[in-house]
Amino acid sequence: MMVSLTKSTMILRPGRVRGLDNAVPTHSASLLLQASSNLCPCRAVVMGGSGSECGSFKQPLQAPIMNVHYMQAIRARYESLGYTPYRWFEADGAPPWQPLPKPLAEARLGLLSTSGAYALGQVAYHYKDDTSIRALPSNVAIEDVRFSHITENYLVDPKRDPNCILPLTQLRTLRDEGVVGELADEVLSCMGGVYSQRRVREEVAPAILEKFKAQRVDCALLVAM
Amino acid sequence: MCHQTVCLVARHLEAHGIPTMCVGSAIDIFQAGRPPRATFVDYPLGHSSGKPFDTADQLSIVRAAVAGFTRMTAPGEIQVLANRWGDDDWRAEASSTKGQDTRQPRDETPQFQLPADRSAALASGALRE
């Protein structure tokens, strides 16, 4: 199957991602590409099960870019420091799937940012697998948003402009435009640098679920740092 | 690490009835963690929803992400955005396998961004001495 770029959406699957770097374990993640918006038409190529490939792979519109391989780099970096190699989560099954229950323009959207955001007046996070959650009012003033996170080095720009990692202004715009129906009254944050996957599963994820259910959100945007 | 956390949280939420869209800048962690839907923006970590003070860039990312709720129809897809950071200097440092541990000491007391935040938390009653 040759796939050509058109203005319509292309969904390529099942796939192995190519053109990023073949060394990355890709499982069956597939990429969705679209030429007519800011979805990238050429950066990544999906190999179909039969060995097909996207036509853009042979004639890329831009120079190939090497994606950063964080899992490999961090594993090697910690090893060089004498730490036990970190065992990253690797899903062994297809993800669960829940279709949007209503049109986006009628949906109530929740937001979670793992950047360690808190509002002025709330308690900051600590650095040792802090699994607590903060609910910031959705109408919080941007200048009252603060951050604390074990990887403070990634927060230089968010501390200047929180929208880099907690897109409050942009979500308000999309709500005002009618793209999304409404925003939950509060946006959620946590300090996502929790190394214990057990504690993420048993503490963070259920607490987020409970909050989103109480907010009666129809869907949730999760912004990773 | 945050990307791994969102993968685990997204899978949990989705399994309990809430459709999710993850947005992030570490595509390898998304590929390993396989959230139900993901949007990849090839920026240095800390900028998953855009460049500082670049409203157009931020809006284009968030707009594409939420549009994915409608556009994406199968579990495990990752939509790759064409947004470009500008220069590629950050890649070398991000990919480095050497160097110091840049993480903060694993302290268990609240680490306020500003000293005044601590006073505000005490004043609101959220923090007790």
Side-chain angles (χ1 to χ4, degrees):
Chain A
M1 172 189 73
M2 272 305 273
V3 181
S4 60
L5 290 171
T6 69
K7 287 200 183 247
S8 63
T9 301
M10 295 194 304
I11 302 165
L12 306 173
R13 64 179 180 276
R16 293 189 340 125
V17 182
R18 292 280 304 275
L20 299 171
D21 184 327
N22 298 339
V24 177
T26 58
H27 300 279
S28 59
S30 57
L31 302 189
L32 185 150
L33 312 174
Q34 186 180 45
S36 59
S37 69
N38 63 324
L39 295 191
C40 184
C42 61
R43 274 292 313 289
V45 176
V46 174
M47 279 288 276
S50 60
S52 60
E53 65 184 34
C54 176
S56 66
F57 182 61
K58 291 173 179 167
Q59 294 178 303
L61 302 177
Q62 300 166 335
I65 298 166
M66 196 64 83
N67 279 85
V68 176
H69 301 157
Y70 287 99
M71 293 163 67
Q72 288 176 9
I74 290 171
R75 204 178 270 141
R77 206 177 306 158
Y78 290 178
E79 203 175 329
S80 76
L81 293 166
Y83 303 159
T84 311
Y86 186 72
R87 287 189 60 180
W88 290 89
F89 169 60
E90 297 198 31
D92 56 5
W97 182 260
Q98 189 68 38
L100 202 61
K102 58 178 75 164
L104 192 60
E106 298 169 19
R108 186 172 170 86
L109 178 68
L111 172 66
L112 167 71
S113 172
T114 60
S115 55
Y118 64 96
L120 185 63
Q122 295 181 334
V123 180
Y125 303 82
H126 67 70
Y127 292 150
K128 191 173 180 185
D129 278 13
D130 190 340
T131 56
S132 64
I133 289 162
R134 304 287 177 276
L136 295 71
S138 294
N139 61 357
V140 65
I142 292 294
E143 55 272 23
D144 286 345
V145 176
R146 303 283 191 272
F147 298 92
S148 62
H149 196 286
I150 187 170
T151 53
E152 293 280 347
N153 51 314
Y154 298 133
L155 284 172
V156 175
D157 281 334
K159 285 176 178 174
R160 297 164 59 222
D161 179 5
N163 289 300
C164 289
I165 203 74
L166 184 78
L168 277 171
T169 303
Q170 317 320 329
L171 287 179
R172 289 170 189 161
T173 300
L174 293 176
R175 175 200 56 199
D176 295 346
E177 286 180 2
V179 172
V180 299
E182 58 181 344
L183 306 181
D185 294 339
E186 295 175 324
V187 296
L188 307 181
S189 191
C190 64
M191 200 289 289
V194 175
Y195 287 76
S196 165
Q197 290 162 34
R198 179 188 61 79
R199 293 193 63 190
V200 174
R201 282 201 182 87
E202 295 178 3
E203 297 173 35
V204 180
I208 299 284
L209 174 65
E210 190 180 325
K211 285 275 188 191
F212 277 146
K213 281 197 161 172
Q215 293 177 340
R216 294 175 291 103
V217 300
D218 297 304
C219 51
L221 185 67
L222 314 183
V223 182
M225 188 169 82
Chain B
M1 204 55 58
C2 276
H3 285 68
Q4 174 176 279
T5 299
V6 295
C7 291
L8 290 165
V9 171
R11 292 173 68 103
H12 186 76
L13 294 175
E14 197 98 13
H16 289 83
I18 299 178
T20 60
M21 170 64 75
C22 294
V23 187
S25 301
I27 198 169
D28 60 328
I29 304 177
F30 279 165
Q31 288 170 330
R34 300 182 69 186
R37 300 170 199 77
T39 299
F40 170 63
V41 55
D42 194 10
Y43 283 177
L45 296 181
H47 307 88
S48 297
S49 49
K51 300 172 186 171
F53 307 109
D54 188 337
T55 305
D57 180 64
Q58 294 169 357
L59 191 57
S60 75
I61 292 168
V62 180
R63 190 186 295 281
V66 299
F69 278 115
T70 305
R71 190 184 290 131
M72 297 163 85
T73 55
E77 289 169 1
I78 302 172
Q79 54 179 0
V80 176
L81 304 190
N83 299 55
R84 294 293 306 274
W85 182 254
D87 66 65
D88 286 331
D89 296 348
W90 59 276
R91 294 176 193 280
E93 189 186 337
S95 303
S96 172
T97 57
K98 304 281 183 230
Q100 295 301 304
D101 190 345
T102 54
R103 295 171 297 175
Q104 300 296 315
R106 305 191 83 192
D107 198 298
E108 288 189 83
T109 56
Q111 302 293 313
F112 289 97
Q113 181 178 329
L114 302 170
D117 298 352
R118 182 182 172 79
S119 310
L122 284 168
S124 73
L127 180 69
R128 294 202 177 88
E129 288 284 13

